[in-house]
Amino acid sequence: MDFNVKRLATEAGLFLTRAVQFTEEKLWQSEKTNLDQDFENLTVRADCTKHWTEKILRQTEILLQPNPSARIEEFLYEKLDMKAPSRITNSELLGQHMEDAAKEFGLESPYGSTLVKVGECERRLGAVEKDFIQTADISFLSPLRNFLEGDCRIISKERRLLENLRLDLDACKTRVKKAKAAEAKVAVVPDFQETRPRNYVLSASASALWTEEVEKAEQELKTAQKEFDRQAEVTRLLLEGISCTHVNHLRCLHEFVEAQAAYYRQCHLHMQDLQEELRSYSSNFYDEICVSSPVETLTIEEVQAPASGTRKAKVLYDYDAADCSELSLLADEIITVYTMPGMESDWLVGERGNQRGRVPVTYLELLS
């Protein structure tokens, strides 16, 4: 208990001394020991590295997981040293919805079978995205976190310790300066009267006391200077290690770029395969329509315009025919349109010169 009280009193006195020194420096009433310019440059570089590493880490996390709630959940699991549950990606969820919709619409229908193909592709894209997120977290995010939670904290701790030792050193310098000033004052202007010889003894005693005080202060100054120099060297070595950190982060950045390139490359390949599959499927589907549906295969020989019921229509937008039964349109042209028995309500037969084909009503403005 006595030891704790003494230690508490010592720490309180030390804290008070540092507070007084810090206040006097702010009020320009005391000198401050400045570190060399090279050390200051290393400090600025370390602060800059920490600042931008935090920004890059935070924005990369947003890129990999845009959902803030999911990021908070993953953060809590990480702090609790627990494994976060596997989370379905947006692409996988979209693929699942497409497959469920295909079951409702009918797997044999053109729309339903296409939904299945696209849904399977979205699931593959989601799996690729998961691999990319995991690779990016291991190769890029983890080293950045380790730097911020490890090296940065150590550097900050040593810098705080160096600042405290600097305050102690400057406080010792102030005490030495005041002790020397008091000693000089006693030596130059002794406090005695020539008619009282006893004051000669008192003056000599006071001078000896101040000399002893100066020696004690100088000894404390040497000790403080030694501790400050040692801590400055330790802190300098840690700050110089930022160069190695940049090299390590550069390597991690290359790995992140490689992972991102592989991710987009695989996504591109999956989408190309899907496009080819859909083109092949659509070509076969429309060929079957043209062969098996003579009513919708509109040709000059097979379809004749009715004697009455034709109207003029203005084309609102360009339209590219999707198959041989449709007619391509150009905006602002005027064509003749009419209906045929059994035709869908949102389609008309369009005629332009010797060309005929189905045209969508939404692309037309019927004229009176």
Side-chain angles (χ1 to χ4, degrees):
M1 182 65 183
D2 294 339
F3 172 76
N4 292 335
V5 171
K6 291 180 179 179
R7 186 178 63 178
L8 182 62
T10 302
E11 291 177 354
L14 190 60
F15 175 79
L16 181 61
T17 301
R18 292 170 178 171
V20 171
Q21 178 64 29
F22 181 80
T23 304
E24 290 180 351
E25 290 176 357
K26 291 299 181 181
L27 297 176
W28 301 93
Q29 296 179 357
S30 178
E31 295 182 1
K32 177 181 177 180
T33 300
N34 294 318
L35 298 167
D36 59 88
Q37 189 60 41
D38 183 57
F39 190 95
E40 295 293 343
N41 293 337
L42 290 174
T43 302
V44 172
R45 190 185 187 195
D47 292 338
C48 182
T49 301
K50 178 184 177 182
H51 171 74
W52 287 109
T53 301
E54 290 174 340
K55 282 185 170 293
I56 293 172
L57 174 63
R58 183 165 54 251
Q59 193 59 41
T60 306
E61 290 175 339
I62 294 174
L63 172 67
L64 299 179
Q65 179 51 266
N67 188 345
S69 300
R71 292 200 304 273
I72 294 175
E73 182 180 349
E74 293 173 357
F75 174 78
L76 292 177
Y77 275 107
E78 180 182 354
K79 291 302 180 183
L80 295 175
D81 198 18
M82 298 173 60
K83 184 179 180 181
S86 179
R87 186 183 300 275
I88 187 172
T89 64
N90 292 329
S91 297
E92 290 176 319
L93 185 60
L94 175 60
Q96 179 180 334
H97 289 339
M98 286 184 172
E99 292 176 356
D100 293 341
K103 295 177 182 178
E104 294 289 335
F105 299 147
L107 298 177
E108 300 301 326
S109 67
Y111 185 37
S113 58
T114 303
L115 280 174
V116 171
K117 297 179 185 298
V118 178
E120 291 175 350
C121 181
E122 293 295 336
R123 283 183 177 273
R124 290 194 293 269
L125 293 177
V128 174
E129 182 181 357
K130 277 186 176 179
D131 293 339
F132 166 61
I133 292 174
Q134 183 178 6
T135 303
D137 184 73
I138 295 174
S139 63
F140 187 60
L141 294 183
S142 292
L144 297 185
R145 291 194 192 100
N146 292 337
F147 167 71
L148 293 174
E149 297 176 1
D151 294 350
C152 275
R153 290 186 178 180
I154 294 175
I155 291 175
S156 298
K157 178 182 177 181
E158 297 299 330
R159 286 176 62 182
R160 287 195 300 270
L161 180 57
L162 178 63
E163 178 64 14
N164 289 335
L165 293 178
R166 200 271 307 164
L167 290 172
D168 294 342
L169 174 62
D170 289 339
C172 289
K173 290 181 178 180
T174 302
R175 283 197 296 271
V176 170
K177 184 177 180 181
K178 291 180 178 180
K180 288 184 176 180
E183 182 187 26
K185 183 177 180 181
V186 171
V188 174
V189 187
D191 186 15
F192 63 89
Q193 298 178 3
E194 294 182 358
T195 57
R196 299 178 62 183
R198 177 174 176 274
N199 287 333
Y200 284 104
V201 178
L202 294 176
S203 176
S205 177
S207 179
L209 288 174
W210 279 114
T211 301
E212 182 180 352
E213 184 68 23
V214 170
E215 292 177 354
K216 181 180 177 182
E218 288 179 344
Q219 184 62 36
E220 291 178 353
L221 175 61
K222 290 180 181 179
T223 303
Q225 184 69 55
K226 184 178 180 180
E227 292 180 355
F228 173 79
D229 293 341
R230 181 188 59 80
Q231 183 60 33
E233 186 62 25
V234 171
T235 308
R236 182 188 296 274
L237 292 175
L238 291 173
L239 293 175
E240 289 175 348
I242 294 295
S243 298
C244 296
T245 299
H246 285 187
V247 174
N248 182 40
H249 288 182
L250 176 61
R251 178 183 58 80
C252 296
L253 183 61
H254 279 285
E255 294 180 1
F256 175 71
V257 171
E258 291 295 331
Q260 198 170 25
Y263 164 66
Y264 286 118
R265 182 166 54 250
Q266 292 180 32
C267 290
H268 181 64
L269 291 176
H270 285 313
M271 294 307 300
Q272 280 187 322
D273 294 341
L274 177 63
Q275 281 184 318
E276 293 297 330
E277 189 176 3
L278 292 182
R279 286 195 189 103
S280 176
Y281 175 76
S282 300
S283 177
N284 295 335
F285 172 70
Y286 289 128
D287 288 344
E288 291 177 2
I289 291 179
C290 294
V291 172
S292 62
S293 182
V295 175
E296 294 186 359
T297 304
L298 303 175
T299 62
I300 298 175
E301 293 78 8
E302 296 177 351
V303 179
Q304 297 295 330
S308 61
T310 61
R311 299 181 64 179
K312 295 292 183 181
K314 180 181 178 181
V315 179
L316 300 177
Y317 320 103
D318 293 344
Y319 178 75
D320 294 329
D323 58 76
C324 59
S325 68
E326 298 179 3
L327 177 67
S328 296
L329 303 175
L330 295 175
D332 298 328
E333 68 174 333
I334 305 298
I335 63 173
T336 302
V337 295
Y338 48 89
T339 61
M340 291 293 294
M343 180 173 288
E344 301 92 329
S345 60
D346 53 348
W347 290 86
L348 294 174
V349 177
E351 182 177 333
R352 180 179 57 229
N354 294 329
Q355 297 178 343
R356 293 188 183 90
R358 297 192 310 160
V359 293
V361 176
T362 54
Y363 281 70
L364 303 174
E365 178 186 356
L366 297 178
L367 304 177
S368 56

